[in-house]
Amino acid sequence: MTAVDLTLLTRRAEPPGAPGAAAGPAVPQRRPTRRIQVGSVPVGGGAPISVQTMTTTVTADVDATLQQIAEVTAAGCDLVRVAVPSQDDVQALPAIVAKSPIPVIADIHFQPRYVFAAIDAGCAAVRVNPGNIRQFDDKVKEIAAAATAAKVPIRIGVNAGSLDPRLLAKYGKATPEALVESALWECSLFEEHGFTDLKIAVKHHDPQTMIAAYRQLSAARDYPLHLGVTEAGPAFQGSIKSAVAMGILLNEGIGDTIRVSLSAPPAEQVKAGCHVLAALGLRPRKLEIVSCPGCGRLQVDIHSLAARVEAAFEGFPHPLRVAVMGCVVNGPGESREADLGVSSGNGKGQIFVRGEVVKTVPESRIVETLLEEALRLAEAESGQDQEENA
């Protein structure tokens, strides 16, 4: 196999209609919002939709937290949030902020004084949940002044599980109207003091409630919105719920930054979020495996083959579409549409590169051959880039 330094390879953008470039519907038209700046990352105002996650380490453990931040950054994360429930966590913030490769957002509950500490520590933004901060309303003026001076935006994060008791009493439960009223009330408190550097989230575990809340909020204000299905669940269930809810809203142009809240490692949350955006054309795609679900026509273990191809291409820097097909009905056509493809059966596989059959190999060599052809494409395009830049 050709030895190539994968970190040096970059994929050139394909013009519409180029081999391997799939034509598709237009990218969703974004809802106009005001823009805020979260450290080096712009949010809203037409900026690319950013992907967030939250560390699961004890924030006071600086080394462990920075290690996890490095992992999520490698997975494609743009912004990372860290929990700040104790004074020990507050004291760790300056070191984390100084060494993090991406902007750090402090997640504050219950203690307003930690908001000021997070701002002083250099956090790029602060998330507050008004429903569970004691005497929050009385602290807004001071928080607004400190955030204004430091140019730190505030995220108003309303969750179904910690809604203001006054609104629970009014609506009986966390309805879309209750979530939106809570968010708008707290925004108005900041607005009274001239502070509008805000981002809003109204999360709920039920996708339909969440969708309705964000639609109402989008119609009411032009603040950038952070999308999420809170407590979405384990990886499989949570990914589906999040993809459905976020996909509907994003396709309507609603949403400026997202988090997929799975009971799974933060890096997996990030990968899921990147895939959601890529599926809608809102983020450049990375590796995409196109594979058939299986049927009685198959003459190959397509599930195992697709898994082996996915594992072999893990971390590959090119945004390749690789088709892994198992019969003569859809196999050749799907393989021709992909950058690379294989149509398998009878113990062998036809290998396609940019629409052309280049060879037929035994089934045992399919994965190896696809990777070799991918590396060959990468070398050729890397060389062409160097000639154009010379």
Side-chain angles (χ1 to χ4, degrees):
M1 186 180 299
T2 306
V4 176
D5 182 358
L6 299 185
T7 62
L8 300 178
L9 304 177
T10 56
R11 178 68 177 274
R12 297 163 58 241
E14 293 176 332
V27 172
Q29 185 68 37
R30 299 280 298 283
R31 152 190 172 267
T33 64
R34 65 184 70 192
R35 177 174 292 194
I36 64 172
Q37 194 70 29
V38 183
S40 59
V41 177
V43 176
I49 297 172
S50 53
V51 175
Q52 301 188 27
T53 190
M54 189 170 182
T55 56
T56 58
T57 56
V58 175
T59 303
D61 187 339
V62 173
D63 290 342
T65 301
L66 286 171
Q67 174 61 37
Q68 197 167 80
I69 291 175
E71 292 169 1
V72 300
T73 303
C77 190
D78 302 299
L79 299 166
V80 66
R81 187 154 41 106
V82 298
V84 188
S86 74
Q87 186 61 37
D88 288 342
D89 300 315
V90 168
Q91 292 173 352
L93 287 177
I96 293 170
V97 169
K99 295 181 180 180
S100 173
I102 56 177
V104 175
I105 301 169
D107 190 76
I108 309 294
H109 296 269
F110 306 114
Q111 290 289 350
R113 60 191 173 91
Y114 292 167
V115 176
F116 302 104
I119 292 172
D120 290 341
C123 289
V126 176
R127 181 273 176 117
V128 297
N129 187 340
N132 62 23
I133 292 188
R134 293 192 299 269
Q135 298 179 330
F136 178 82
D137 296 357
D138 298 333
K139 297 290 184 180
V140 171
K141 183 177 180 179
E142 296 175 54
I143 291 173
T148 298
K151 297 183 179 179
V152 171
I154 300 289
R155 179 185 137 201
I156 302 293
V158 179
N159 272 18
S162 51
L163 192 63
D164 191 309
R166 295 168 293 185
L167 291 169
L168 281 176
K170 177 179 177 179
Y171 289 96
K173 61 179 181 178
T175 64
E177 293 75 17
L179 295 170
V180 172
E181 184 173 331
S182 176
L184 294 181
W185 168 252
E186 301 303 340
C187 285
S188 72
L189 296 178
F190 280 98
E191 291 164 350
E192 288 177 2
H193 301 291
F195 188 86
T196 57
D197 205 7
L198 300 169
K199 175 175 59 174
I200 313 177
V202 283
K203 296 185 179 182
H204 197 284
H205 66 270
D206 174 61
Q208 294 193 58
T209 301
M210 174 265 203
I211 291 168
Y214 277 101
R215 282 173 173 163
Q216 291 180 28
L217 189 56
S218 176
R221 290 288 194 280
D222 68 347
Y223 289 119
L225 302 182
H226 170 69
L227 301 187
V229 177
T230 192
E231 291 95 32
F236 180 74
Q237 171 185 290
S239 295
I240 291 174
K241 288 170 66 175
S242 296
V244 168
M246 290 184 189
I248 288 172
L249 290 169
L250 291 168
N251 202 51
E252 295 175 2
I254 298 172
D256 301 284
T257 181
I258 67 172
R259 181 196 177 192
V260 180
S261 299
L262 307 175
S263 297
E268 296 305 309
Q269 300 178 23
V270 172
K271 292 176 185 177
C274 292
H275 279 297
V276 169
L277 295 180
L280 291 167
L282 294 168
R283 176 171 283 218
R285 63 185 175 90
K286 294 186 179 180
L287 177 69
E288 179 184 359
I289 304 293
V290 177
S291 58
C292 58
C295 70
R297 295 189 299 268
L298 289 182
Q299 297 176 330
V300 65
D301 181 352
I302 197 67
H303 301 156
S304 173
L305 179 59
R308 287 186 284 122
V309 170
E310 184 177 37
F313 279 83
E314 178 70 25
F316 196 80
H318 276 326
L320 291 177
R321 179 179 290 121
V322 182
V324 183
M325 306 300 294
C327 82
V328 297
V329 175
N330 293 321
E334 290 287 359
S335 297
R336 288 191 184 95
E337 290 295 315
D339 298 298
L340 296 172
V342 59
S343 184
S344 312
N346 292 322
K348 55 190 177 182
Q350 256 189 342
I351 305 297
F352 292 75
V353 178
R354 297 284 167 81
E356 301 294 332
V357 177
V358 296
K359 62 184 68 173
T360 300
V361 299
E363 184 178 321
S364 61
R365 293 198 61 241
I366 287 174
V367 176
E368 170 187 356
T369 304
L370 287 173
L371 191 55
E372 288 173 351
E373 294 299 331
L375 291 168
R376 191 170 287 114
L377 279 175
E379 286 183 306
E381 290 177 355
S382 179
Q384 187 172 346
D385 283 344
Q386 291 175 6
E387 288 180 7
E388 292 176 355
N389 295 327

